[in-house]
Coordinates of all heavy atoms in Angstrom, one line a residue:
M1 N 92.3 28.9 97.5 CA 91.9 27.5 97.3 C 91.2 27.4 96.0 O 90.4 28.2 95.6 CB 91.0 27.1 98.5 CG 90.4 25.7 98.3 SD 89.5 25.2 99.8 CE 90.5 23.9 100.4
V2 N 91.4 26.3 95.3 CA 90.8 26.0 94.0 C 89.8 24.9 94.1 O 90.1 23.8 94.7 CB 91.9 25.7 93.0 CG1 91.3 25.3 91.6 CG2 92.8 26.8 92.8
K3 N 88.6 25.1 93.5 CA 87.6 24.0 93.5 C 87.4 23.6 92.1 O 87.4 24.4 91.2 CB 86.3 24.6 94.1 CG 85.1 23.7 94.1 CD 85.2 22.8 95.3 CE 83.9 22.0 95.4 NZ 83.9 21.0 96.4
E4 N 87.3 22.3 91.9 CA 87.1 21.8 90.5 C 85.7 21.5 90.2 O 85.0 21.0 91.1 CB 87.9 20.5 90.3 CG 89.4 20.8 90.1 CD 90.2 19.6 89.7 OE1 89.8 18.4 90.0 OE2 91.3 19.8 89.1
L5 N 85.2 21.9 89.0 CA 83.9 21.5 88.5 C 84.2 20.2 87.7 O 85.0 20.2 86.8 CB 83.3 22.6 87.6 CG 82.1 22.2 86.9 CD1 80.9 22.0 87.8 CD2 81.7 23.3 85.9
V6 N 83.5 19.1 88.1 CA 83.7 17.8 87.4 C 82.5 17.4 86.7 O 81.4 17.8 87.0 CB 84.2 16.7 88.4 CG1 85.5 17.1 89.1 CG2 83.1 16.4 89.4
M7 N 82.7 16.5 85.7 CA 81.6 16.0 84.9 C 80.8 15.1 85.9 O 81.3 14.1 86.4 CB 82.1 15.1 83.8 CG 81.0 14.5 82.9 SD 79.9 15.7 82.1 CE 81.0 16.3 80.8
P8 N 79.5 15.4 86.1 CA 78.7 14.6 87.0 C 78.1 13.3 86.3 O 78.1 13.3 85.1 CB 77.6 15.5 87.4 CG 77.4 16.4 86.2 CD 78.8 16.5 85.6
R9 N 77.7 12.4 87.1 CA 77.0 11.2 86.6 C 75.5 11.5 86.7 O 75.0 11.6 87.8 CB 77.3 10.0 87.4 CG 76.7 8.7 86.9 CD 77.0 7.5 87.7 NE 78.4 7.2 87.8 CZ 79.2 6.6 86.9 NH1 78.7 6.2 85.8 NH2 80.5 6.5 87.1
L10 N 74.9 11.8 85.6 CA 73.5 12.2 85.6 C 72.5 11.0 85.5 O 71.3 11.2 85.7 CB 73.2 13.1 84.4 CG 74.1 14.4 84.5 CD1 73.9 15.2 83.2 CD2 73.8 15.2 85.7
S11 N 73.0 9.8 85.2 CA 72.2 8.6 85.2 C 73.1 7.4 85.6 O 74.3 7.5 85.5 CB 71.6 8.4 83.9 OG 72.5 8.0 82.9
S12 N 72.5 6.3 85.9 CA 73.3 5.1 86.3 C 74.1 4.5 85.1 O 75.1 3.9 85.4 CB 72.4 4.0 86.8 OG 71.4 3.6 85.9
T13 N 73.8 4.9 83.9 CA 74.5 4.3 82.7 C 75.4 5.3 82.1 O 76.2 5.0 81.2 CB 73.5 3.8 81.6 OG1 72.7 4.9 81.2 CG2 72.6 2.7 82.2
M14 N 75.4 6.6 82.6 CA 76.3 7.6 82.0 C 77.7 7.3 82.2 O 78.2 7.1 83.4 CB 75.9 9.0 82.5 CG 76.7 10.1 81.9 SD 76.1 11.7 82.6 CE 77.5 12.7 82.1
K15 N 78.5 7.4 81.2 CA 80.0 7.2 81.3 C 80.8 8.4 80.9 O 81.9 8.6 81.3 CB 80.4 6.0 80.4 CG 79.9 4.7 80.8 CD 80.4 3.5 80.0 CE 80.1 2.2 80.7 NZ 79.1 1.5 80.3
E16 N 80.1 9.3 80.0 CA 80.8 10.5 79.6 C 79.7 11.5 79.2 O 78.6 11.2 79.0 CB 81.8 10.2 78.5 CG 81.1 9.7 77.2 CD 82.0 9.1 76.2 OE1 83.2 8.9 76.5 OE2 81.6 9.0 75.0
G17 N 80.2 12.8 79.0 CA 79.3 13.8 78.6 C 80.1 14.7 77.6 O 81.3 14.7 77.6
R18 N 79.3 15.5 76.8 CA 80.0 16.5 75.9 C 79.7 17.9 76.3 O 78.6 18.2 76.7 CB 79.4 16.2 74.5 CG 80.1 17.1 73.4 CD 79.5 16.8 72.0 NE 78.1 17.2 71.9 CZ 77.7 18.4 71.5 NH1 78.6 19.3 71.3 NH2 76.4 18.6 71.3
V19 N 80.8 18.7 76.3 CA 80.6 20.1 76.6 C 80.0 20.8 75.4 O 80.5 20.8 74.3 CB 82.0 20.8 77.0 CG1 81.8 22.3 77.2 CG2 82.6 20.1 78.2
V20 N 78.8 21.4 75.6 CA 78.1 22.0 74.6 C 78.5 23.5 74.5 O 78.9 24.0 73.4 CB 76.5 21.9 74.7 CG1 75.8 22.7 73.7 CG2 76.1 20.4 74.8
K21 N 78.4 24.2 75.6 CA 78.6 25.6 75.6 C 79.0 26.1 77.0 O 78.3 25.8 78.0 CB 77.4 26.4 75.1 CG 77.5 27.9 75.0 CD 76.3 28.6 74.6 CE 76.5 30.1 74.5 NZ 75.3 30.7 74.1
W22 N 80.1 26.9 77.0 CA 80.4 27.6 78.3 C 79.6 28.9 78.4 O 79.6 29.7 77.4 CB 81.9 27.9 78.3 CG 82.7 26.7 78.7 CD1 83.3 25.9 77.8 CD2 82.9 26.1 79.9 NE1 83.9 24.8 78.4 CE2 83.6 24.9 79.8 CE3 82.5 26.5 81.2 CZ2 84.0 24.1 80.9 CZ3 82.8 25.6 82.3 CH2 83.6 24.5 82.1
L23 N 79.0 29.1 79.5 CA 78.2 30.3 79.8 C 79.0 31.4 80.4 O 78.5 32.6 80.5 CB 77.0 29.9 80.6 CG 76.1 28.8 80.1 CD1 75.0 28.4 81.1 CD2 75.5 29.1 78.7
K24 N 80.1 31.1 80.9 CA 81.1 32.0 81.5 C 82.4 31.8 80.8 O 82.8 30.8 80.3 CB 81.2 31.8 83.0 CG 80.0 32.1 83.8 CD 79.8 33.6 83.9 CE 78.7 33.9 84.9 NZ 78.6 35.4 85.1
K25 N 83.3 32.9 80.9 CA 84.6 32.9 80.3 C 85.6 32.8 81.4 O 85.4 33.3 82.5 CB 84.8 34.1 79.4 CG 83.9 34.1 78.2 CD 84.1 35.4 77.4 CE 83.1 35.4 76.3 NZ 83.0 36.7 75.7
E26 N 86.9 32.4 81.1 CA 88.0 32.4 82.0 C 88.1 33.9 82.5 O 88.0 34.8 81.7 CB 89.3 31.9 81.4 CG 89.3 30.4 81.2 CD 90.6 29.9 80.7 OE1 91.6 30.7 80.5 OE2 90.7 28.7 80.4
G27 N 88.3 34.0 83.8 CA 88.5 35.3 84.4 C 87.3 36.0 84.9 O 87.3 37.0 85.6
E28 N 86.1 35.4 84.6 CA 84.8 36.0 85.1 C 84.5 35.4 86.5 O 84.8 34.3 86.8 CB 83.7 35.6 84.1 CG 83.8 36.4 82.8 CD 82.5 36.2 82.0 OE1 81.9 35.1 82.0 OE2 82.2 37.2 81.3
R29 N 83.8 36.3 87.2 CA 83.3 35.9 88.5 C 82.1 35.0 88.4 O 81.2 35.2 87.5 CB 83.0 37.1 89.4 CG 82.4 36.7 90.7 CD 82.5 37.8 91.7 NE 81.9 37.5 93.0 CZ 82.3 36.6 93.8 NH1 83.4 35.9 93.5 NH2 81.7 36.3 95.0
V30 N 82.0 33.9 89.2 CA 80.8 33.1 89.3 C 80.3 32.9 90.7 O 81.1 33.1 91.6 CB 81.1 31.6 88.7 CG1 81.6 31.7 87.2 CG2 82.2 30.9 89.5
E31 N 79.1 32.7 90.8 CA 78.4 32.5 92.2 C 78.1 31.0 92.3 O 77.6 30.4 91.3 CB 77.2 33.4 92.3 CG 77.5 34.9 92.3 CD 78.3 35.4 93.5 OE1 78.2 34.8 94.6 OE2 79.0 36.3 93.3
A32 N 78.2 30.5 93.5 CA 77.8 29.1 93.7 C 76.3 28.9 93.3 O 75.5 29.8 93.7 CB 78.0 28.8 95.2
G33 N 76.1 27.9 92.6 CA 74.7 27.6 92.1 C 74.3 28.3 90.8 O 73.3 28.0 90.3
E34 N 75.2 29.1 90.3 CA 74.9 29.8 89.0 C 75.3 28.9 87.8 O 76.4 28.2 87.9 CB 75.8 31.1 88.9 CG 75.8 31.8 87.6 CD 76.7 33.0 87.6 OE1 77.6 33.1 88.4 OE2 76.5 33.8 86.7
P35 N 74.4 28.7 86.8 CA 74.8 27.9 85.7 C 76.0 28.4 85.0 O 76.1 29.7 84.7 CB 73.6 28.0 84.8 CG 72.4 28.4 85.7 CD 73.1 29.3 86.7
I36 N 77.0 27.6 84.7 CA 78.2 28.1 84.0 C 78.6 27.3 82.7 O 79.3 27.8 81.9 CB 79.4 28.1 84.9 CG1 79.8 26.8 85.5 CG2 79.2 29.2 86.0 CD1 81.1 26.8 86.2
V37 N 78.0 26.1 82.6 CA 78.3 25.3 81.4 C 77.1 24.4 81.0 O 76.4 23.9 81.9 CB 79.6 24.5 81.6 CG1 79.4 23.4 82.7 CG2 80.0 23.8 80.3
E38 N 76.9 24.2 79.7 CA 75.9 23.3 79.3 C 76.6 22.0 78.8 O 77.6 22.1 78.1 CB 75.1 23.8 78.1 CG 74.2 25.0 78.4 CD 73.5 25.5 77.2 OE1 73.6 25.0 76.1 OE2 72.8 26.5 77.3
I39 N 76.0 20.9 79.3 CA 76.6 19.6 78.8 C 75.5 18.7 78.2 O 74.3 18.9 78.6 CB 77.3 18.8 80.0 CG1 76.3 18.5 81.1 CG2 78.5 19.6 80.5 CD1 76.8 17.4 82.0
E40 N 75.9 17.8 77.4 CA 75.0 16.9 76.8 C 75.4 15.5 77.2 O 76.5 15.1 77.1 CB 75.0 17.0 75.3 CG 74.1 16.0 74.6 CD 74.2 16.2 73.0 OE1 75.2 15.7 72.5 OE2 73.3 16.7 72.4
A41 N 74.4 14.7 77.7 CA 74.6 13.3 78.1 C 73.4 12.5 77.7 O 72.3 12.9 78.1 CB 74.8 13.3 79.6
E42 N 73.6 11.5 77.0 CA 72.6 10.6 76.6 C 71.4 11.3 75.9 O 70.3 11.2 76.3 CB 72.1 9.7 77.8 CG 73.2 8.8 78.3 CD 72.9 8.1 79.6 OE1 71.8 8.3 80.1 OE2 73.7 7.2 79.9
K43 N 71.7 12.2 75.0 CA 70.8 13.0 74.2 C 70.0 14.0 75.1 O 68.9 14.5 74.6 CB 69.9 12.1 73.4 CG 70.7 11.2 72.5 CD 69.9 10.5 71.5 CE 70.7 9.5 70.9 NZ 70.9 9.5 69.5
V44 N 70.4 14.3 76.3 CA 69.7 15.3 77.1 C 70.8 16.4 77.4 O 71.9 16.1 77.8 CB 69.2 14.7 78.4 CG1 68.7 15.8 79.3 CG2 68.2 13.7 78.2
T45 N 70.4 17.7 77.2 CA 71.3 18.8 77.5 C 70.8 19.4 78.8 O 69.7 19.6 79.1 CB 71.2 19.8 76.4 OG1 71.6 19.2 75.2 CG2 72.2 21.0 76.7
T46 N 71.8 19.7 79.7 CA 71.6 20.3 81.0 C 72.6 21.3 81.3 O 73.7 21.3 80.8 CB 71.5 19.2 82.1 OG1 71.0 19.7 83.3 CG2 72.8 18.5 82.3
K47 N 72.3 22.2 82.2 CA 73.2 23.2 82.7 C 73.8 22.8 84.0 O 73.1 22.4 84.9 CB 72.6 24.6 82.8 CG 72.1 25.1 81.4 CD 71.4 26.5 81.6 CE 71.0 27.0 80.2 NZ 70.2 28.2 80.3
L48 N 75.2 22.9 84.1 CA 75.8 22.6 85.4 C 76.0 23.9 86.1 O 76.4 24.9 85.5 CB 77.2 21.9 85.2 CG 77.1 20.5 84.5 CD1 78.5 19.9 84.5 CD2 76.2 19.6 85.3
E49 N 75.9 23.8 87.4 CA 76.1 25.0 88.3 C 77.4 25.0 88.9 O 78.1 24.0 89.1 CB 75.0 25.0 89.4 CG 73.6 25.0 88.9 CD 72.5 24.9 90.0 OE1 72.9 24.6 91.1 OE2 71.4 25.1 89.7
A50 N 77.9 26.2 89.2 CA 79.2 26.4 89.8 C 79.1 25.8 91.2 O 78.2 26.0 92.0 CB 79.5 27.9 89.9
P51 N 80.1 25.0 91.6 CA 80.1 24.4 93.0 C 80.5 25.3 94.1 O 80.4 25.1 95.2 CB 81.2 23.3 92.8 CG 82.1 23.7 91.8 CD 81.3 24.6 90.8
A52 N 81.1 26.5 93.7 CA 81.6 27.5 94.7 C 81.6 28.9 94.0 O 81.6 29.0 92.8 CB 83.0 27.1 95.1
S53 N 81.7 29.9 94.8 CA 81.8 31.3 94.3 C 83.3 31.6 94.1 O 84.1 31.1 94.9 CB 81.2 32.3 95.3 OG 79.8 32.0 95.4
G54 N 83.6 32.4 93.1 CA 85.0 32.8 92.9 C 85.2 33.2 91.5 O 84.3 33.6 90.8
I55 N 86.4 33.0 91.0 CA 86.8 33.4 89.6 C 87.0 32.1 88.8 O 87.7 31.2 89.3 CB 88.1 34.2 89.6 CG1 87.9 35.5 90.5 CG2 88.5 34.5 88.2 CD1 86.9 36.4 90.0
L56 N 86.4 32.0 87.7 CA 86.6 30.9 86.8 C 88.0 31.0 86.2 O 88.2 31.8 85.3 CB 85.6 30.8 85.7 CG 85.7 29.7 84.6 CD1 85.6 28.3 85.3 CD2 84.6 29.9 83.6
V57 N 89.0 30.4 86.8 CA 90.4 30.6 86.4 C 90.9 29.8 85.2 O 91.7 30.2 84.5 CB 91.4 30.4 87.6 CG1 91.2 31.5 88.6 CG2 91.3 29.1 88.2
K58 N 90.3 28.6 85.0 CA 90.8 27.7 84.0 C 89.7 26.8 83.5 O 89.0 26.1 84.3 CB 92.0 26.9 84.5 CG 92.6 26.0 83.4 CD 93.4 26.9 82.5 CE 94.2 26.0 81.5 NZ 94.7 26.7 80.4
I59 N 89.4 26.9 82.2 CA 88.5 25.9 81.5 C 89.4 24.8 81.0 O 90.3 25.0 80.2 CB 87.7 26.6 80.4 CG1 86.7 27.6 81.0 CG2 87.0 25.5 79.5 CD1 86.0 28.4 79.9
L60 N 89.1 23.6 81.5 CA 89.9 22.4 81.2 C 89.4 21.6 80.0 O 90.1 20.8 79.4 CB 90.1 21.5 82.4 CG 90.7 22.2 83.6 CD1 90.6 21.3 84.9 CD2 92.1 22.6 83.4
A61 N 88.1 21.8 79.7 CA 87.4 21.0 78.7 C 86.8 22.0 77.7 O 85.8 22.6 78.1 CB 86.4 20.0 79.2
P62 N 87.3 22.2 76.5 CA 86.7 23.2 75.6 C 85.3 22.7 75.1 O 85.0 21.5 75.2 CB 87.7 23.3 74.5 CG 88.4 22.0 74.5 CD 88.4 21.5 75.9
E63 N 84.6 23.6 74.4 CA 83.3 23.3 73.8 C 83.6 22.2 72.8 O 84.5 22.2 72.1 CB 82.7 24.5 73.2 CG 82.2 25.5 74.2 CD 81.6 26.7 73.6 OE1 81.5 26.8 72.4 OE2 81.2 27.6 74.4
G64 N 82.7 21.1 72.8 CA 82.8 20.0 71.9 C 83.6 18.8 72.5 O 83.5 17.7 72.0
A65 N 84.3 19.0 73.6 CA 85.0 18.0 74.2 C 84.1 16.9 74.9 O 83.1 17.2 75.4 CB 86.0 18.5 75.3
I66 N 84.6 15.7 74.7 CA 83.9 14.5 75.4 C 84.7 14.3 76.7 O 85.9 14.0 76.6 CB 83.9 13.3 74.5 CG1 83.2 13.6 73.2 CG2 83.2 12.1 75.2 CD1 81.8 13.9 73.2
V67 N 84.0 14.3 77.8 CA 84.7 14.2 79.1 C 84.1 13.0 79.9 O 82.9 13.0 80.1 CB 84.6 15.5 79.9 CG1 85.3 15.4 81.2 CG2 85.1 16.7 79.1
P68 N 84.9 12.1 80.4 CA 84.4 11.0 81.2 C 83.9 11.5 82.6 O 84.3 12.6 83.1 CB 85.7 10.2 81.5 CG 86.7 10.5 80.4 CD 86.4 12.0 80.1
V69 N 82.9 10.8 83.1 CA 82.3 11.1 84.4 C 83.5 11.2 85.5 O 84.3 10.4 85.5 CB 81.3 10.1 84.8 CG1 80.9 10.3 86.3 CG2 80.1 10.2 83.9
G70 N 83.4 12.2 86.3 CA 84.4 12.4 87.4 C 85.6 13.2 87.0 O 86.4 13.6 87.9
K71 N 85.8 13.5 85.7 CA 87.0 14.2 85.3 C 86.7 15.7 85.3 O 85.6 16.1 85.1 CB 87.4 13.8 83.9 CG 87.9 12.4 83.7 CD 89.1 12.2 84.5 CE 89.6 10.7 84.4 NZ 90.7 10.4 85.2
P72 N 87.7 16.5 85.6 CA 87.5 18.0 85.8 C 87.1 18.7 84.4 O 87.7 18.4 83.4 CB 88.8 18.5 86.3 CG 89.8 17.4 86.1 CD 89.1 16.2 85.9
L73 N 86.2 19.6 84.6 CA 85.8 20.5 83.4 C 86.5 21.9 83.6 O 86.8 22.5 82.6 CB 84.3 20.7 83.4 CG 83.5 19.4 83.2 CD1 82.0 19.7 83.4 CD2 83.7 18.9 81.8
A74 N 86.6 22.4 84.8 CA 87.1 23.7 85.0 C 87.6 23.9 86.5 O 87.3 23.0 87.3 CB 86.0 24.8 84.7
Q75 N 88.3 25.0 86.7 CA 88.7 25.3 88.1 C 88.2 26.7 88.5 O 88.3 27.6 87.7 CB 90.3 25.3 88.1 CG 90.9 23.9 87.9 CD 92.4 24.0 87.8 OE1 93.0 25.0 87.5 NE2 93.0 22.9 88.1
I76 N 87.7 26.8 89.7 CA 87.2 28.0 90.3 C 88.1 28.3 91.5 O 88.2 27.5 92.4 CB 85.8 27.9 90.6 CG1 84.9 27.6 89.4 CG2 85.3 29.2 91.3 CD1 83.5 27.3 89.7
A77 N 88.6 29.5 91.5 CA 89.5 29.9 92.7 C 88.8 31.0 93.5 O 88.1 31.8 93.0 CB 90.8 30.5 92.2
E78 N 89.0 30.9 94.8 CA 88.5 31.9 95.7 C 89.2 33.3 95.4 O 90.3 33.3 94.9 CB 88.7 31.6 97.2 CG 88.0 30.4 97.6 CD 88.3 30.0 99.1 OE1 89.2 30.7 99.7 OE2 87.7 29.1 99.6
E79 N 88.5 34.4 95.6 CA 89.0 35.7 95.3 C 90.0 36.1 96.4 O 89.9 35.7 97.5 CB 88.0 36.7 95.2 CG 87.1 36.5 93.9 CD 86.1 37.6 93.7 OE1 86.5 38.7 93.2 OE2 85.0 37.4 94.1

């Protein structure tokens, strides 16, 4: 089963965010709750946590990408 990490809405006015830095690479294991990506939204940078444990199989938004709220950033698959 694959779980998607999506761009969250961090404020009522947020429409999109920018991927600043991936803290994990494709193929690496991640644990639920572990920070895996830094995003910038409305001049605030925050770390997003993995929604599930597994393998980061695909990064859908590269560093520097502007991603609308609700759109996928990456896919995590169960081992």
Side-chain angles (χ1 to χ4, degrees):
M1 174 176 247
V2 175
K3 179 81 173 175
E4 287 189 333
L5 171 67
V6 299
M7 180 64 73
R9 182 179 306 277
L10 301 174
S11 72
S12 60
T13 59
M14 182 178 164
K15 292 186 168 99
E16 61 190 17
R18 183 176 67 88
V19 177
V20 176
K21 181 179 179 180
W22 283 97
L23 306 174
K24 292 288 189 171
K25 296 178 184 165
E26 286 185 4
E28 288 188 326
R29 176 158 178 68
V30 299
E31 296 294 328
E34 174 183 18
I36 61 172
V37 64
E38 291 180 4
I39 62 162
E40 180 181 72
E42 300 174 351
K43 304 193 190 239
V44 174
T45 302
T46 189
K47 293 178 182 176
L48 295 185
E49 298 175 351
S53 295
I55 303 297
L56 179 59
V57 291
K58 185 73 176 165
I59 292 175
L60 303 171
E63 291 179 3
I66 304 295
V67 181
V69 169
K71 295 295 180 185
L73 298 169
Q75 295 175 334
I76 299 171
E78 293 179 357
E79 291 186 81

